[in-house]
């Protein structure tokens, strides 16, 4: 007798995704990550990467990684607590703390694991987390792992947050957690108000600055610097996979927090450290950022130009106040078709749909970088205009 296929339920669900226009087709890049790249054999202008400062293929980062391989090899060999902490890791943490004006920093493998390490180390069963409804998936997963009660408040809505705090009368410890920059809309958390609320009620405050690192604040020092709140946000999570152009997670804050994560953060204790070339490249990225604000300035100039011109063309670009530009289209099929036609015009910009954003809120996400030239932007704008008109969006 033939047994039924144990994986038939997955085939069914995959077919459903195709029918709904929600199946994610993953493209292959055949060149270094940059303003222009080769995707599936085709040269295109790239608006998909979080490579804000163009550091992912920067000659100085490449050299730094090669030099470090010669002095330190490649792999860390173990988890940090056993034998995986090299002098390079310690140096990176000291440099990051200095760069961000934080008391201490611990690095992890990624921003995702930084959230998984931090949140369950700070709160647990019987505690309460107040979490913005649009927080990143890694924050949500960190919250779930903690077993604390999760109270989600309306996106950036301080009145709702205050009400939720007032309504939540049973708790052990409490923490407010918010993205700094919301990665699909490009808007920023009202950190000064979050700080006031946290102070008023003596609640811990944590911000995830993944898209603010290297982008916001003086010379890219992040959202805490942007708002001048040094020493006031209890925990700052971040990543070196975006503006830093490499990979690796950051937790910055009071020394007690960092010391505790090194004792209890599970991805710190049970997953190996960043690799040598990654650490060396990140150190070089800090050097570049501390030497000059030129790249951060160019990023913002490019973003402001593109925002202005896309708005002039008649596109709805939502509420972005950062270099992330969402072209709001609504329908998932339309967003996919838009992205496909842009690609035919030599522009690589990804359609984003459910579950990354809510149903009916599909969009093209245009990621600006300092790696784009004036010509890149002009060519891209022509493509946006042609496709926008062809699909009757503008
Ligand atoms: C991208 C992102 C992360 C994950 O960072 P990785 O280093 O890629 O794991 C975490 N939080 C937020 C808010 C992000 O945007």
């Amino acid at each position: 007798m033939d047994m039924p296929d144990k994986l038939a339920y997955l085939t069914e669900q995959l077919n459903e995704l195709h029918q709904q226009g929600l199946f994610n087709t993953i493209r292959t890049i055949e060149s270094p990550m940059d303003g222009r790249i080769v995707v599936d054999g085709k040269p295109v202008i790239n608006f998909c990467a979080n490579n804000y400062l163009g550091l992912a293929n920067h000659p100085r980062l490449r050299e730094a990684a090669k030099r470090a391989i010669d002095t330190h090899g490649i792999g860390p060999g173990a988890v940090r607590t056993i034998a995986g902490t090299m002098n390079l890791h310690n140096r990176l943490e000291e440099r990051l703390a200095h760069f961000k004006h934080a008391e201490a920093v611990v690095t992890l493998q990624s921003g995702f694991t930084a959230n998984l390490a931090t949140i369950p180390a700070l709160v647990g069963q019987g505690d309460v987390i107040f979490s913005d409804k649009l927080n990143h998936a890694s924050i949500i997963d960190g919250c779930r792992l903690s077993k604390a009660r999760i109270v989600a408040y309306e996106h950036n809505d301080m009145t709702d947050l205050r009400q939720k705090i007032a309504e939540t009368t049973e708790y052990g410890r409490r923490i407010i957690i918010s993205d700094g920059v919301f990665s699909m809309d490009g808007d920023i958390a009202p950190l000064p108000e979050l700080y006031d609320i946290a102070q008023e009620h003596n609640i811990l405050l944590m911000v995830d600055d993944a898209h603010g690192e290297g982008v916001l604040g003086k010379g890219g020092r992040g959202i805490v610097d942007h708002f001048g709140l040094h020493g006031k946000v209890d925990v700052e999570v971040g990543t070196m996979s975006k503006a830093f152009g490499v990979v690796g997670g950051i937790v910055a804050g009071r020394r007690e927090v960092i010391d505790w994560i090194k004792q209890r953060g599970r991805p710190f204790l049970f997953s190996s450290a960043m690799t040598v070339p990654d650490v060396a490249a990140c150190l070089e990225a800090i050097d570049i950022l501390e030497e000059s604000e030129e790249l951060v300035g160019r990023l913002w100039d490019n973003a402001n130009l593109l925002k202005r011109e896309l708005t002039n063309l008649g596109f709805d670009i939502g509420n972005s106040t950062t270099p992330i530009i969402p072209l709001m289209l609504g329908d998932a099929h339309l967003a996919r078709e838009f992205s496909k036609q842009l690609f035919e015009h030599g522009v690589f910009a990804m359609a984003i749909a459910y579950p990354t954003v809510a149903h009916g809120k599909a969009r093209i996400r245009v990621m600006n970088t300092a790696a784009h030239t004036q010509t890149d932007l002009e060519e891209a704008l022509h493509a946006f205009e042609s496709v926008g008109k062809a699909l009757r969006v503008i």
Side-chain angles (χ1 to χ4, degrees):
M1 192 187 81
D2 273 351
M3 295 295 227
D5 178 3
K6 283 183 285 187
L7 289 177
Y9 71 107
L10 289 188
T11 314
E12 221 168 89
Q13 290 178 58
L14 286 166
N15 287 340
E16 243 168 68
L17 288 183
H18 281 292
Q19 280 157 19
Q20 294 165 346
L22 296 176
F23 185 85
N24 238 333
T25 307
I26 300 173
R27 305 262 197 190
T28 306
I29 296 161
E30 295 145 2
S31 62
M33 185 48 66
D34 229 321
R36 285 186 187 254
I37 56 176
V38 179
V39 181
D40 294 332
K42 187 178 165 71
V44 287
I45 307 169
N46 178 24
F47 291 100
C48 291
N50 301 319
N51 179 28
Y52 289 106
L53 302 176
L55 294 176
N57 187 35
H58 194 288
R60 281 180 57 183
L61 270 71
R62 293 165 64 132
E63 280 311 312
K66 288 179 201 168
R67 277 197 310 273
I69 289 171
D70 288 339
T71 57
H72 286 72
I74 297 171
V79 300
R80 296 277 305 267
T81 46
I82 294 178
T85 298
M86 292 178 170
N87 50 3
L88 281 180
H89 293 99
N90 291 336
R91 197 180 314 155
L92 177 60
E93 286 164 351
E94 283 157 21
R95 291 290 306 278
L96 281 168
H98 178 262
F99 178 68
K100 295 179 70 67
H101 304 298
E103 215 173 276
V105 161
V106 58
T107 57
L108 289 116
Q109 310 80 7
S110 71
F112 202 110
T113 58
N115 275 320
L116 299 193
T118 305
I119 302 168
L122 292 174
V123 287
Q125 199 121 42
D127 299 335
V128 175
I129 300 167
F130 299 99
S131 174
D132 188 290
K133 274 198 175 158
L134 292 191
N135 274 347
H136 188 262
S138 59
I139 297 179
I140 296 170
D141 287 6
C143 292
R144 286 176 181 158
L145 274 175
S146 77
K147 300 200 179 78
R149 183 175 158 212
I150 302 162
V151 178
Y153 61 90
E154 294 300 325
H155 174 54
N156 276 355
D157 184 340
M158 297 300 103
T159 309
D160 190 49
L161 172 59
R162 283 180 185 282
Q163 194 174 332
K164 294 267 158 62
I165 290 171
E167 286 165 7
T168 309
T169 51
E170 272 184 42
Y171 53 82
R173 274 175 288 270
R174 293 179 294 177
I175 187 168
I176 300 169
I177 307 181
S178 179
D179 264 30
V181 175
F182 289 84
S183 55
M184 293 301 140
D185 292 271
D187 55 339
I188 304 183
L191 203 55
E193 286 173 83
L194 285 170
Y195 171 69
D196 287 343
I197 295 172
Q199 275 303 95
E200 214 173 287
H201 298 275
N202 203 27
I203 303 178
L204 284 168
L205 177 60
M206 170 176 151
V207 65
D208 179 343
D209 199 26
H211 282 275
E213 217 85 66
V215 175
L216 293 177
K218 185 178 156 47
R221 280 162 179 76
I223 192 170
V224 168
D225 188 85
H226 173 79
F227 285 117
L229 290 170
H230 302 290
K232 294 182 169 172
V233 175
D234 297 296
V235 196
E236 237 187 302
V237 163
T239 180
M240 291 171 282
S241 69
K242 290 171 177 148
F244 278 61
V246 191
V247 77
I250 304 171
V251 189
R254 290 250 304 271
R255 187 163 301 282
E256 294 91 326
V257 172
I258 304 310
D259 284 348
W260 184 243
I261 287 170
K262 288 181 178 174
Q263 302 301 313
R264 285 292 180 272
R266 291 171 69 84
F268 181 84
L269 296 173
F270 300 107
S271 182
S272 292
M274 289 172 68
T275 71
V276 167
D278 288 336
V279 174
C282 288
L283 278 164
E284 193 67 25
I286 299 174
D287 281 345
I288 291 172
L289 285 169
E290 286 188 340
E291 278 165 28
S292 155
E293 293 174 28
E294 186 196 335
L295 287 177
V296 180
R298 198 184 308 159
L299 163 68
W300 281 91
D301 288 346
N302 283 350
N304 290 334
L305 184 148
L306 212 61
K307 269 187 195 169
R308 191 178 62 235
E309 295 303 320
L310 287 169
T311 307
N312 286 345
L313 285 172
F315 285 106
D316 172 5
I317 63 162
N319 303 316
S320 172
T321 52
T322 63
I324 301 170
I325 309 180
L327 279 194
M328 307 304 281
L329 296 172
D331 180 63
H333 288 286
L334 174 61
R336 287 216 186 281
E337 184 57 29
F338 201 107
S339 172
K340 194 169 144 250
Q341 292 197 16
L342 276 177
F343 191 76
E344 286 157 13
H345 282 76
V347 170
F348 187 39
M350 203 57 96
I352 308 275
Y354 183 82
T356 311
V357 295
H359 276 297
K361 297 259 183 183
R363 65 199 64 182
I364 300 290
R365 182 159 167 265
V366 185
M367 298 298 290
N368 284 281
T369 78
H372 293 114
T373 64
Q374 198 72 20
T375 318
D376 295 341
L377 299 182
E378 282 164 15
E379 266 185 55
L381 280 163
H382 282 299
F384 279 108
E385 185 176 9
S386 304
V387 177
K389 284 183 173 156
L391 293 176
R392 297 171 188 278
V393 174
I394 53 171

